Amino acid sequence: MAGDDNIIDRANGDPLECPALAPGVMASSKPYVAAPAHQEALGFPGQLVEGWQEKAIARLGELLESSRALRVYLDSCVKCGACTDKCQFFLGSGDPNNMPVARQDLLRKVYRRYFTLAGKLTPSLVGAEDLTEQVLEEWFSYFHQCSQCRRCSLFCPYGIDTAEISMAARDIMDTIGKGQKYSNEIIGKVFKIGNNLGLPPKALKATLQGLEEEIEEETGVAVRLPLDEPGAEILLVTPSADFFASPHMEGLIGYAKVLHESGISWTFSSHASEAANFGMFIGSTDNMRNVALRIRKAAEDLGVKRLVFGECGHAWRVAYNFLDTLAGPFDFLDPKYPRPQHICEFTWDLIKAGRLTFDKSKNDQIRLTFHDSCNVARASRMGDEPGGQFEIPRAILRATCNHFYDMAPETIRESTLCCGGGGGLLTDELMDVRIKGAQPRMRALRAVADEHGVTHMAAICAICKAQFSKILPKYGFDMEAIVSVHQMVSNAIVLSGSRTGDASDEDDAPDGEHDGGPAAQKEGSGDE
């Protein structure tokens, strides 16, 4: 209990306070090594191969040839220090190897030794080192303490992307037979069954039927959650966490209610019942492509015309940036919707058109803030305007609740702080890493809770929601303080023909309370 008390105490303070240095404090934190079956299912060797040093160096050479950016990132750092205090895992741990520049140098020193003239001739003068077992262990530890959030890249004057360097290092380790169990096992489940949870089609169908019954019992409206229905207009691809646990399922119910009100036909696919793509976390383009191709196949087989993605941060990054390259062209989709839509874009379009009705008082027990998920904030956008990935989720929340307050400006939007569990870190053996990585966000949340009485934090990322469900109690918050954006939508939406949407309810509501229009948006802006 004393340890837990100490964690709670760490929730107080400046989120961006630079810690005292604690060299090596996180050196022993590392994930489990993938079993041979997990490796081989992804096309990697089952264990550390003979001559692994030569094979690792050869793989680094291949990556340098295929990615000009990687070579630029490894060549261009001038040690200016701009990134030093920008990593959540350094801020939470004090371990210098969690400084972005030091993490990069774990790969950079090997790159210099084998791929630069100076490193070959005078290695000690340019910080070049041989790839040894000790260096490999450092890689396995510290490249699995990077959530690939890209916050450091935002502040780097040269735009060096530490996430890409981490991905490259993980790719090399997989190639020589030293992969991470958590991510590789999950990718294998997608290939075998269709989703990260290993949820088979019969179980998925039963889950959706159960949710249909729950919604009808609550509202009196028969809202369908269709599965594998050919000819539907929309294929909804969502993280499998949405089928399994709170607060994900509550968000899924929100999607279904919005889609019901839209009147547009839609379906899930049992073949592609997963929006997440952990191939990105391990830096494997081949595995990213194979996961993405399942979505293409499902879309073609069902004959859909639109793709809509649920609340998942890195899934939206892959969909927005890479899906067409990995699995396109998607020339069979409706030309009016040639690219995937985020469920928030879909919902906001309906709100702007006046097609959704809300009773914001249904969320009056909640005083809300919003966590910008990293892959949405720094690696994608929404809507037609720059910054839509920040404005659209907030607009939805303001349309559905009366009490909304942002956290400190330096901790949100493009400067958002990571949840501490992304990038393949959401596994129990890395709990110490996750707790420390979450410290800056927990401090920012504590500040807005103390100032405005905030009780809940919304997010649009499955990993963020799963991470916070575990981390919030460790910092003195309620486990259920994390909610889905579409959970708020679900609470407030008034379905056509529902028991809560009769004329007497509408007549009693203040002007603008239900229509999601300007009056509804103005309320709850935090300027009370």
Side-chain angles (χ1 to χ4, degrees), residues 78-129:
V78 295
K79 303 295 190 291
C80 69
C83 69
T84 300
D85 58 351
K86 303 306 186 294
C87 177
Q88 295 83 187
F89 299 95
F90 171 65
L91 293 176
S93 71
D95 192 321
N97 273 343
N98 275 326
M99 294 179 183
V101 61
R103 198 187 317 278
Q104 296 164 20
D105 277 351
L106 294 174
L107 184 60
R108 185 175 285 120
K109 65 186 180 183
V110 174
Y111 161 72
R112 285 179 173 168
R113 181 71 179 95
Y114 298 101
F115 294 94
T116 69
L117 181 62
K120 292 175 182 178
L121 297 178
T122 56
S124 61
L125 295 181
V126 294
E129 292 185 24

Side-chain angles (χ1 to χ4, degrees), residues 289-307:
R289 179 178 295 109
N290 289 336
V291 174
L293 284 170
R294 296 183 69 91
I295 296 173
R296 180 189 177 89
K297 177 172 171 52
E300 287 185 306
D301 289 351
L302 293 169
V304 300
K305 298 300 181 185
R306 297 168 65 176
L307 292 175

Side-chain angles (χ1 to χ4, degrees), residues 418-438:
C418 180
C419 70
L425 309 189
L426 195 72
T427 178
D428 286 349
E429 69 267 26
L430 293 178
M431 185 57 73
D432 188 41
V433 175
R434 292 165 54 189
I435 290 170
K436 289 180 169 66

Side-chain angles (χ1 to χ4, degrees), residues 19-31:
L21 294 183
V25 70
M26 302 301 293
S28 61
S29 294
K30 59 188 67 177

Side-chain angles (χ1 to χ4, degrees), residues 39 44-45 48-49 52-64 70 74 107 110 115 131 136 139 143 165-179 282-284:
Q39 286 283 103
F44 300 128
L48 195 64
V49 297
W52 62 266
Q53 290 98 333
E54 292 78 10
K55 288 182 171 60
I57 293 162
R59 181 55 181 161
L60 176 54
E62 292 171 359
L63 294 175
L64 293 168
L70 179 61
L74 294 173
L107 184 60
V110 174
F115 294 94
L131 178 56
L136 182 61
W139 282 15
F143 282 121
I165 294 174
S166 290
M167 291 174 194
R170 294 184 190 182
D171 177 284
I172 294 167
M173 288 187 282
D174 273 320
T175 301
I176 62 173
K178 193 176 176 69
I282 65 171
S284 172

Side-chain angles (χ1 to χ4, degrees), residues 457-470:
M457 178 169 62
I460 52 171
C461 174
I463 288 176
C464 292
K465 287 178 265 189
Q467 160 76 343
F468 287 132
S469 294
K470 285 285 187 75

Side-chain angles (χ1 to χ4, degrees), residues 358-398:
F358 297 113
D359 180 355
K360 293 165 67 172
S361 69
K362 297 296 184 183
N363 285 316
D364 273 356
Q365 77 281 9
I366 292 174
R367 300 178 76 82
L368 191 67
T369 191
F370 179 66
H371 166 76
D372 292 280
S373 299
C374 301
N375 276 300
V376 177
R378 287 187 284 266
S380 70
R381 63 183 288 180
M382 291 182 196
D384 299 324
E385 299 294 330
Q389 72 269 35
F390 311 125
E391 302 303 335
I392 289 175
R394 286 173 170 81
I396 293 172
L397 293 173
R398 288 188 172 103

